[in-house]
Amino acid sequence: MNEEKKRILEMVESGLISANEALTLLEALEKEPGQNARKERRENLLDELIGLAQRFSSSGQKQSREFKSNAYQSRDKVFQFVQSAMQRVRDIEFPLGKTVEISHVFEEKDFVPRRIKVEEANGNFTIKPWKEKGVRAECHVKLYGADDEDEAREAFIKNSVFYARDEKLSFSVGLKLMKVDTVLYVPEEALHEAAIKLFNGSFSMHDMDVYSLEVKTANGKIEIKRSKVTEFEGETGNGQIHIIDCEGQKAEASSFNGAVHVVGAIGYTDIKSFNGNVLCDVKAGGAHTVKAQAVTGNIEIYVPKDTSMKGVLRTNLGYFQLPEEGMRKVEEKEEMVQKMVRFESEVQALDNIVIEAETKTGSVSVQEITLPATDDKEPNGTDSPSSTADGE
């Protein structure tokens, strides 16, 4: 108990939390001393997870063919451990006594933002377009430790910022013991820049036009649908990243624990996952480079038929799958610690794509598909690979 109080006072001294937040934490410690054990378990769990990832990554290059069966078992254990560990982390909230829920709306009429900046510790954030000339943020707030709605509303307004001036919109919530789920409505006009930083929460956006979009969250899913994003950068520690039916020039997406799926016409795609499958479904429209990396997951890449390809695939324990026709292997190696194949199309086409894919324990598949002419179905009436891919 004394050690926890000392840590809270140090956080106040360093400016990480306010005096009111420290008082709330101290009162919670007095009321519920059992919360120290939960916090300690959470910290130990994260430390164990990070250590495991470092050990697994450093030992990946030391695997040899004669130990493949053991390596596959180790891969499955790592996959199951990370999944269960992250689920336990996700389920841990801040059970600090009574909670109060309120709703609040921020609104600025006759305002069209060109830049959006969001910072939030806990809660999901969604951006939606609308036909109005103005911005509106609908917030559902859950405050831990408040006695009534008036106190909760006062604390939320005092510790949040909604600033709309000079074509810039800033929204942030400073109180860490507060969960705020926000839906932000913005005009349909194109945004130049949006930067979203969350700690514990998911982000979603659809039917938007943004030049530069940056999304980072420690624990949450990132989902973007039917949007034009010229430059995208997304990162999550625990959660999936789905970029579906989008177009742009560049997309970089990384998840520690979760699948990464990119479907659309994107020029340069760079996607990574430590513990999850990686999928890139390239649609027609200027795509030229695909880079994909995974540790425990498989990699699937789908390219439009009649597009010429060249690239290199690598794996330690898995296998390769290339189109049965129209492809030749320029170089193929199967060494003690890694397998590699370098390939290229036999016939050059107008559209060219360079592919680089590497996974430690999974497999790599590169396949050609025929793009639908009028709808999202394949000619034989089945869904496209991207619509039925496993979300794990």
Side-chain angles (χ1 to χ4, degrees):
M1 176 74 73
N2 292 332
E3 183 64 27
E4 294 296 327
K5 290 181 178 179
K6 181 179 178 181
R7 186 179 301 179
I8 292 172
L9 294 176
E10 290 176 350
M11 293 171 67
V12 175
E13 184 178 1
S14 61
L16 294 176
I17 61 175
S18 65
N20 289 335
E21 293 173 341
L23 182 59
T24 302
L25 287 172
L26 291 172
E27 291 176 351
L29 287 175
E30 294 293 339
K31 294 179 182 178
E32 301 187 28
Q35 302 307 320
N36 294 331
R38 295 192 182 204
K39 182 176 181 181
E40 183 177 355
R41 286 199 302 269
R42 177 188 177 114
E43 292 176 348
N44 292 339
L45 179 60
L46 290 173
D47 290 340
E48 183 179 358
L49 181 61
I50 294 172
L52 175 65
Q54 292 174 343
R55 293 195 302 273
F56 186 83
S57 178
S58 62
S59 63
Q61 296 296 338
K62 299 179 181 179
Q63 302 287 352
S64 63
R65 286 179 295 178
E66 60 187 74
F67 296 107
K68 279 186 179 180
S69 60
N70 292 333
Y72 276 116
Q73 295 175 3
S74 299
R75 179 195 66 177
D76 294 338
K77 290 179 180 179
V78 170
F79 188 88
Q80 294 172 4
F81 172 79
V82 175
Q83 290 282 23
S84 61
M86 283 299 185
Q87 182 62 45
R88 288 161 60 192
V89 172
R90 181 165 46 244
D91 292 340
I92 295 176
E93 289 189 346
F94 301 94
L96 302 178
K98 183 179 179 181
T99 62
V100 177
E101 297 186 30
I102 63 170
S103 295
H104 187 82
V105 175
F106 294 103
E107 190 170 12
E108 188 73 25
K109 297 182 179 180
D110 298 323
F111 178 77
V112 179
R114 294 283 292 158
R115 294 176 295 163
I116 294 177
K117 182 178 181 181
V118 175
E119 293 186 2
E120 202 172 278
N122 297 289
N124 303 322
F125 195 88
T126 301
I127 296 180
K128 292 184 177 181
W130 68 347
K131 297 184 181 299
E132 304 293 329
K133 294 293 183 181
V135 292
R136 177 184 175 92
E138 298 179 353
C139 306
H140 181 78
V141 183
K142 179 185 288 187
L143 181 62
Y144 301 87
D147 293 327
D148 52 44
E149 291 187 4
D150 292 337
E151 180 183 346
R153 191 177 303 278
E154 180 181 357
F156 172 66
I157 295 176
K158 181 180 178 181
N159 292 276
S160 59
V161 173
F162 185 83
Y163 178 85
R165 294 290 185 275
D166 300 326
E167 297 185 332
K168 179 181 180 181
L169 174 64
S170 297
F171 177 74
S172 64
V173 180
L175 192 60
K176 299 174 179 62
L177 298 179
M178 181 183 296
K179 184 176 185 294
V180 183
D181 292 330
T182 305
V183 178
L184 177 66
Y185 294 91
V186 299
E188 293 177 327
E189 287 85 348
L191 284 170
H192 179 72
E193 179 182 350
I196 315 296
K197 293 184 179 180
L198 311 173
F199 176 74
N200 183 35
S202 299
F203 172 81
S204 64
M205 184 184 81
H206 65 81
D207 299 303
M208 290 290 299
D209 188 347
V210 184
Y211 178 81
S212 175
L213 174 62
E214 179 183 0
V215 183
K216 293 186 178 181
T217 177
N219 179 43
K221 180 179 179 180
I222 299 175
E223 183 175 80
I224 304 170
K225 291 185 175 181
R226 303 182 303 276
S227 296
K228 180 180 179 181
V229 183
T230 306
E231 296 182 359
F232 170 77
E233 181 179 350
E235 180 181 334
T236 177
N238 176 48
Q240 302 173 353
I241 300 179
H242 285 176
I243 305 173
I244 308 298
D245 296 331
C246 295
E247 60 178 284
Q249 295 181 4
K250 183 178 182 181
E252 298 180 351
S254 174
S255 173
F256 180 82
N257 178 56
V260 180
H261 290 182
V262 175
V263 180
I266 299 175
Y268 176 92
T269 301
D270 188 351
I271 48 181
K272 304 173 184 177
S273 176
F274 176 87
N275 185 47
N277 295 330
V278 172
L279 180 145
C280 182
D281 189 351
V282 179
K283 304 300 183 183
H288 56 82
T289 303
V290 174
K291 292 185 177 181
Q293 287 183 286
V295 176
T296 65
N298 300 321
I299 297 176
E300 298 178 48
I301 300 174
Y302 298 91
V303 178
K305 199 173 182 62
D306 301 325
T307 299
S308 63
M309 296 180 285
K310 66 177 181 179
V312 57
L313 313 178
R314 296 183 176 90
T315 182
N316 286 17
L317 302 173
Y319 62 86
F320 302 124
Q321 183 177 0
L322 289 168
E324 296 180 358
E325 299 179 355
M327 206 68 56
R328 68 185 183 92
K329 297 178 180 180
V330 178
E331 181 182 5
E332 186 172 11
K333 293 181 180 180
E334 186 168 348
E335 300 175 345
M336 293 292 293
V337 295
Q338 189 180 71
K339 294 185 289 185
M340 184 272 289
V341 59
R342 194 180 303 274
F343 67 96
E344 67 178 25
S345 300
E346 295 178 347
V347 179
Q348 295 298 309
L350 183 61
D351 294 327
N352 298 275
I353 295 181
V354 177
I355 297 174
E356 296 180 17
E358 179 177 0
T359 176
K360 299 299 183 184
T361 64
S363 300
V364 184
S365 172
V366 177
Q367 296 296 316
E368 292 181 321
I369 59 173
T370 301
L371 294 178
T374 58
D375 51 37
D376 293 330
K377 299 288 185 178
E378 292 296 320
N380 61 4
T382 60
D383 292 337
S384 63
S386 59
S387 64
T388 59
D390 187 1
E392 295 184 356

